[in-house]
Amino acid sequence: MATERPDEEKPETRVQDLIHGSGGGASPVQSPTRLGPTRFSEVARDQIRDTGSILSWINGDPNRSLKNPVKRAKRKRIRTAKTAACVIGLVAFFIFVNWFMLSQLHEGRAWLRRGFSKKPNLNPKPDRKLIPDTNPNPGVKRASVKVSASLQHGEKKKMGKPKKKYNGTYGRLLAYAAHALAEGQNKIEPKELWREPKDQALAWKPCADQRSWKPSDGNNGYIMVTANGGINQQRVAVCNIVVVARMLNATLVVPKLMFSDVWTDASQFGDIYQVEHFIKYLSPDIRIVKKLPKELQSLDLEAIGSLVTDMDVVKEAKPGFYMKHILPLLLKNRVVHFFGFGNRLAFDPIPFQLQRLRCRCNFHALNFVPKIQETAAVLVRRLRDSGSHLAPVDPYLVGPKFASFILDKKAGPLHKASKYLALHLRFEIDMVAHSLCYFGGGDAEKMELDAYREKHFPTLANLTKTKKMPSPEDLRTEGLCPLSPEEDVLMLAGLGFNRKTRVFVAGANIYGGNKRLAALTSLYPNLVTKENVLTETELQPFKNFSSQLAVLDFIACAASDAFAMTDSGSQLSSLVSGYRIYYGAGKMPTIRPNKRRFSDILLKNNTIEWKVFEQRVRKNVRQTKHVLVRPTGRSVYRYPRCKECMCNED
């Protein structure tokens, strides 16, 4: 992937930012003996005194005086010394001013990285005060922005008076966002929000279903797999093990899904995916059976060394690893069980047909069971407000039969379906704890997340005690923290999404609860979740099955008119993005903010004007909307635009 250039700013803009962050524009005290007017006036008098004699000598004046050469030489040495002192003084002054400004900028950025405004004594403004909010929930520390009468009067012409004050780290920007949305709710949204900006996207067509090899007989033995993680990580693991089975000429036993104490879902492969379709569709590629032969079922796989854990296989192992270490074990014992299998197969280098098999598994072989498809079709239909059209991905997500349920047969040809934006709000406690970032909750947040890591991520918890980890400030600056709900709503408002936009939020059990969602629900009142759209009766079959509920989120996101991913490391966002590219016919845009640049924008939350904020956010997202061929080593599930998965008709 081409390296994206960082945002460029004009030099004068950077200087203004430095001045704003340097204590109200106070400048260093100048030294009158070195840079004061006295020294410059003395030099000027010397120049005036000598000008007449110099000119008369040059012009050949007979009355020119050549007396006292010693005095002239002495004056010349004095002038040279003074000139040198002047130059040295200017250089020293320049270095001192730059050091002072940079130190103030660094201090201000450090405070902003913690999610708070700068120290009051660094940028005093008597008409604007940050007043701590008496929040009854100690786990979420907040600050509210109080706009005084003088600020309202002084900025009334530019921004108007925000009608509502918002609590949270970004109170000032949230207030301006609320005002901008209220004023612009009848304005036309930017066209690029709801469509792919590049015509090149139309040239890529799905072609992973094409085969050019003979079926594998699977004679070398049997491969079992227990996939770990959430439903999306397990999907990736299943497609990876399909490739490994073909590589080793082995027979694959229908995968099993590992129970996780994080997801607490006992669903198995057949509860989510159509087993018969999976076996039949991949039959030209590998041999798949539902269970081991009886003679192998009684083997103690751990005792004979055939139990291979994720600790035994290096992350993103290359094909040579499996040929060298796994194939001999398979030939010896006739069976190998990959327990806790996940991201254990590299994306490059992989032979062309094996890479295509990977895509074929993900985009064609894994169809959801009818129970999920039917409920998902109802969900999408209601989100589109009984629309009269089908999205390109609909038949592949819910099947041809249930795709027809999305259409409103009573709606006439002139009926215009409502557009909806899907937002994957990856802000559950597991993501927040694993990120090692800080979100403004004080000691209570730290203690809660430390306890969660001790229980669910013991390896990570031990690392935090034994090794020096990156600070939360560094992680945020590098764009490694998941976006908070407040940051998400600022991004949407900055991009220009109308206040009336229907926003579907994917994700469950948001860290901080409804209070953390207050800004998002206030600025976008048409925000819904699957729990709002579906009835209790419709959701009942999925109660206590978090993985199956996550599939409903997956389908609603993949079928949306626009999809905003807030955490590029999320498997759901990656899979949804890839699905929209593969089946979207170049008409289904995905918003991928560069979190590193977005973090840099948010660091200026206490000084940046709303118009400037809008411009920079839109530039940030626009620069990520490039139609690129999959970069080497990157996931084909997320970047399917490659010759193994898709065909370019240009």
Side-chain angles (χ1 to χ4, degrees):
M1 179 180 290
T3 303
E4 297 175 357
R5 297 175 58 190
D7 293 340
E8 296 180 356
E9 293 180 344
K10 295 181 180 179
E12 58 267 27
T13 304
R14 292 188 182 276
V15 172
Q16 290 172 359
D17 289 342
L18 290 173
I19 292 174
H20 285 305
S22 60
S27 60
V29 178
Q30 298 178 348
S31 172
T33 61
R34 301 183 62 185
L35 296 178
T38 305
R39 186 189 57 155
F40 288 114
S41 61
E42 289 176 355
V43 174
R45 284 197 298 270
D46 289 339
Q47 291 175 344
I48 293 173
R49 183 171 56 248
D50 294 338
T51 299
S53 60
I54 293 173
L55 289 176
S56 63
W57 187 82
I58 292 174
N59 293 328
D61 187 355
N63 296 323
R64 66 183 182 272
S65 176
L66 297 177
K67 298 179 180 180
N68 299 324
V70 175
K71 291 183 178 180
R72 286 199 300 270
K74 184 177 180 179
R75 287 198 300 268
K76 184 177 181 180
R77 288 195 297 271
I78 293 173
R79 287 197 301 270
T80 302
K82 289 182 177 180
T83 302
C86 177
V87 173
I88 294 172
L90 288 173
V91 171
F93 177 74
F94 177 79
I95 293 173
F96 174 76
V97 170
N98 278 272
W99 168 82
F100 181 79
M101 289 184 173
L102 289 174
S103 64
Q104 295 298 313
L105 177 64
H106 174 75
E107 186 174 356
R109 288 171 66 91
W111 273 82
L112 289 172
R113 285 171 190 159
R114 297 185 181 97
F116 297 98
S117 63
K118 295 180 181 179
K119 292 183 179 180
N121 63 340
L122 292 179
N123 193 12
K125 293 185 179 180
D127 54 351
R128 183 178 300 171
K129 299 178 181 178
L130 288 177
I131 299 178
D133 184 22
T134 55
N135 183 5
N137 183 1
V140 181
K141 183 178 179 181
R142 306 181 296 174
S144 62
V145 175
K146 182 176 181 179
V147 183
S148 66
S150 59
L151 174 65
Q152 295 170 6
H153 176 74
E155 295 188 356
K156 187 174 182 180
K157 292 182 179 180
K158 293 190 296 183
M159 297 300 300
K161 177 182 177 182
K163 296 182 179 180
K164 188 175 182 180
K165 302 171 186 176
Y166 291 91
N167 295 327
T169 302
Y170 304 102
R172 174 180 175 273
L173 275 179
L174 288 172
Y176 288 165
H179 174 74
L181 289 174
E183 275 199 340
Q185 57 185 333
N186 295 321
K187 293 182 180 179
I188 300 177
E189 296 171 319
K191 294 181 180 179
E192 62 268 19
L193 293 180
W194 301 101
R195 69 182 185 188
E196 287 280 10
K198 305 291 184 181
D199 292 336
Q200 300 95 310
L202 300 173
W204 290 91
K205 307 295 181 183
C207 61
D209 56 335
Q210 300 175 10
R211 296 176 173 90
S212 59
W213 60 13
K214 295 180 180 179
S216 169
D217 53 27
N219 288 338
N220 285 344
Y222 293 85
I223 287 181
M224 301 172 63
V225 64
T226 302
N228 67 356
I231 182 60
N232 299 294
Q233 291 87 345
Q234 291 168 344
R235 184 185 183 102
V236 169
V238 167
C239 292
N240 286 345
I241 204 64
V242 165
V243 174
V244 171
R246 172 75 194 204
M247 186 194 310
L248 301 180
N249 190 25
T251 297
L252 177 66
V253 180
V254 170
K256 293 184 178 181
L257 308 182
M258 180 183 290
F259 178 84
S260 168
D261 59 354
V262 175
W263 299 101
T264 63
D265 186 350
S267 297
Q268 279 305 315
F269 186 84
D271 299 319
I272 297 173
Y273 300 108
Q274 298 179 28
V275 175
E276 296 300 331
H277 174 80
F278 178 73
I279 295 174
K280 182 178 180 180
Y281 191 86
L282 293 177
S283 59
D285 304 303
I286 62 172
R287 180 171 175 253
I288 305 176
V289 297
K290 294 183 178 179
K291 57 184 179 180
L292 281 175
K294 290 184 178 180
E295 63 271 17
L296 298 178
Q297 292 179 7
S298 59
L299 291 177
D300 186 341
L301 299 183
E302 185 175 6
I304 64 176
S306 284
L307 184 66
V308 179
T309 68
D310 60 343
M311 299 296 292
D312 300 322
V313 183
V314 297
K315 185 178 181 181
E316 296 188 356
K318 296 180 180 180
F321 176 89
Y322 291 93
M323 301 301 293
K324 180 179 179 180
H325 299 284
I326 305 301
L327 182 58
L329 190 63
L330 181 66
L331 294 173
K332 176 184 177 182
N333 297 331
R334 300 292 299 157
V335 60
V336 170
H337 183 188
F338 289 94
F339 187 80
F341 190 76
N343 189 19
R344 291 296 184 268
L345 179 63
F347 287 102
D348 290 296
I350 292 287
F352 179 91
Q353 289 298 336
L354 289 178
Q355 197 78 285
R356 175 162 286 188
L357 175 59
R358 221 174 194 166
C359 297
R360 185 154 56 243
C361 173
N362 181 53
F363 296 114
H364 295 274
L366 294 176
N367 288 354
F368 299 116
V369 294
K371 179 184 72 171
I372 293 177
Q373 289 182 335
E374 182 177 9
T375 305
V378 174
L379 175 61
V380 172
R381 173 177 172 168
R382 291 175 185 166
L383 287 171
R384 290 183 188 158
D385 195 18
S386 300
S388 58
H389 78 286
L390 287 177
V393 300
D394 291 349
Y396 305 99
L397 287 169
V398 300
K401 175 183 176 182
F402 297 110
S404 62
F405 289 5
I406 297 176
L407 295 175
D408 185 357
K409 298 179 182 179
K410 297 180 181 179
L414 299 179
H415 177 77
K416 186 176 181 180
S418 298
K419 296 178 180 179
Y420 77 94
L421 164 72
L423 173 68
H424 182 212
L425 194 59
R426 188 67 172 96
F427 203 70
E428 295 91 347
I429 188 171
D430 64 310
M431 173 59 76
V432 173
H434 197 273
S435 70
L436 298 178
C437 297
Y438 175 67
F439 297 95
D443 292 338
E445 175 189 306
K446 184 179 183 302
M447 293 175 61
E448 182 180 7
L449 297 182
D450 284 344
Y452 189 91
R453 281 189 287 267
E454 289 284 351
K455 180 178 180 181
H456 299 285
F457 306 123
T459 303
L460 179 61
N462 185 56
L463 281 176
T464 60
K465 298 175 183 177
T466 58
K467 293 188 177 181
K468 184 178 180 181
M469 307 296 287
S471 68
E473 294 85 0
D474 293 336
L475 292 170
R476 187 170 298 280
T477 302
E478 292 299 317
L480 299 176
C481 296
L483 296 184
S484 68
E486 295 87 358
E487 293 167 338
D488 291 327
V489 73
L490 287 174
M491 178 186 71
L492 299 182
L495 289 174
F497 279 103
N498 193 289
R499 176 176 169 81
K500 298 178 181 178
T501 302
R502 175 168 291 183
V503 180
F504 173 80
V505 173
N509 301 320
I510 301 303
Y511 181 65
N514 291 333
K515 291 183 179 180
R516 196 84 208 210
L517 291 173
L520 191 56
T521 55
S522 297
L523 269 64
Y524 287 95
N526 289 332
L527 182 144
V528 296
T529 64
K530 57 184 176 295
E531 288 79 12
N532 304 136
V533 178
L534 298 173
T535 66
E536 283 291 331
T537 303
E538 292 165 338
L539 284 171
Q540 185 59 40
F542 307 99
K543 292 289 185 180
N544 303 320
F545 296 104
S546 59
S547 293
Q548 297 181 40
L549 288 171
V551 173
L552 297 179
D553 280 337
F554 174 91
I555 294 175
C557 289
S560 62
D561 297 277
F563 172 61
M565 52 192 297
T566 61
D567 180 47
S568 58
S570 164
Q571 281 289 4
L572 183 143
S573 291
S574 295
L575 292 173
V576 167
S577 174
Y579 219 89
R580 292 167 66 83
I581 292 174
Y582 191 80
Y583 284 122
K587 301 176 181 178
M588 306 190 76
T590 296
I591 298 168
R592 308 175 185 87
N594 184 315
K595 290 199 298 179
R596 190 174 186 177
R597 294 180 183 173
F598 191 44
S599 173
D600 184 63
I601 299 171
L602 292 172
L603 289 177
K604 301 177 178 64
N605 74 84
N606 220 40
T607 57
I608 194 170
E609 294 296 333
W610 181 252
K611 289 295 182 184
V612 178
F613 179 82
E614 283 184 325
Q615 293 169 1
R616 294 195 61 184
V617 169
R618 294 178 186 185
K619 179 182 178 182
N620 178 355
V621 173
R622 184 170 60 251
Q623 289 179 333
T624 64
K625 287 191 173 183
H626 300 299
V627 180
L628 300 175
V629 177
R630 180 184 73 91
T632 301
R634 302 303 293 272
S635 168
V636 294
Y637 310 123
R638 178 173 179 176
Y639 301 101
R641 287 193 186 107
C642 58
K643 60 184 180 180
E644 295 90 346
C645 297
M646 303 182 73
C647 300
N648 192 331
E649 297 183 350
D650 283 351

